[in-house]
Amino acid sequence: VLNAADARLYGMVETDIWPNLRRIAQRRGVPCALASGYASPRSIPRSFWRAVFSKIDLLLMQTDEDERNIIARGALPERVSVGGNMKFDATAGAIAKDAIPALRADFGFPEGAPVFVAGSTLAEDEGPVLDAIATLRGEGVDLHAIVAPRRQERVPEVVRALAERGIPAARRTAGGAAVVVILDTMGE
């Protein structure tokens, strides 16, 4: 992997730490960094991980507590700082208020109608969400929704579940207006 990628940096995220890959990267002179790291007081045993954490060049933890916990498990304090949570702290996707009307029109949602977004959903999330949409619409609320399944291969399953509930739906890539737009795109 390191040869094929001609790696200049080995980046790890959250708790996705592969000690052997980290060791090989550093043996080749490739710096290693952890971003959006977290460490609960009991999640990481000290004995094994002390050697791993002490050799990571930069550890950007989500919170002050994560910073304390990772240092307690062997990370060198001068290499640790708080960098926040990449999933929840990012603002790159924020939409300017003046762009919202065009986005509503692009999705086919009427101006002023409430829009519910269910993002990165799992199968067990969708049943209750779709039931709530059906119930509110049945009570006369002009609710619209965007559903973004975590796994794209599940889009047909979501389409079927909406049809079973009598909720008009459209895939994002198909265009057109619908009560629910299913994001069958990535990163939108």
Side-chain angles (χ1 to χ4, degrees):
V1 170
L2 294 171
N3 287 341
D6 189 25
R8 304 275 191 255
L9 172 71
Y10 172 48
M12 301 164 282
V13 179
E14 293 181 353
T15 59
D16 198 10
I17 301 167
W18 295 21
N20 287 333
L21 188 54
R22 189 244 0 121
R23 183 178 44 78
I24 293 166
Q26 286 186 316
R27 195 179 313 148
R28 294 174 181 216
V30 176
C32 298
L34 173 68
S36 199
Y38 64 88
S40 71
R42 293 179 301 237
S43 67
I44 303 167
R46 294 175 196 232
S47 56
F48 174 76
W49 292 101
R50 183 168 299 280
V52 174
F53 294 139
S54 67
K55 293 187 174 66
I56 297 175
D57 299 293
L58 176 64
L59 296 105
L60 298 173
M61 306 306 289
Q62 292 182 16
T63 67
D64 292 333
E65 182 179 357
D66 294 319
E67 179 183 35
R68 286 188 299 277
N69 290 335
I70 205 80
I71 290 169
R73 277 156 186 74
L76 302 175
E78 64 272 14
R79 296 181 181 179
V80 181
S81 62
V82 175
N85 184 321
M86 294 182 346
K87 289 181 184 174
F88 303 115
D89 294 345
T91 58
I95 298 182
K97 280 193 171 203
D98 60 348
I100 292 173
L103 187 59
R104 275 182 170 277
D106 187 38
F107 275 93
F109 297 150
E111 187 176 333
V115 177
F116 176 76
V117 178
S120 193
T121 59
L122 300 171
E124 58 267 22
D125 303 327
E126 290 153 2
V129 166
L130 302 182
D131 289 343
I133 294 167
T135 298
L136 289 168
R137 289 196 56 85
E139 293 174 359
V141 177
D142 188 25
L143 178 68
H144 288 69
I146 299 170
V147 177
R150 181 173 295 204
R151 304 264 183 245
Q152 292 297 300
E153 60 270 13
R154 293 197 52 262
V155 168
E157 186 180 326
V158 176
V159 170
R160 279 190 302 279
L162 285 159
E164 289 169 2
R165 289 167 174 82
I167 302 171
R171 293 174 183 234
R172 175 72 164 141
T173 56
V179 170
V180 176
V181 173
I182 303 165
L183 289 187
D184 56 352
T185 58
M186 289 298 293
E188 186 171 10

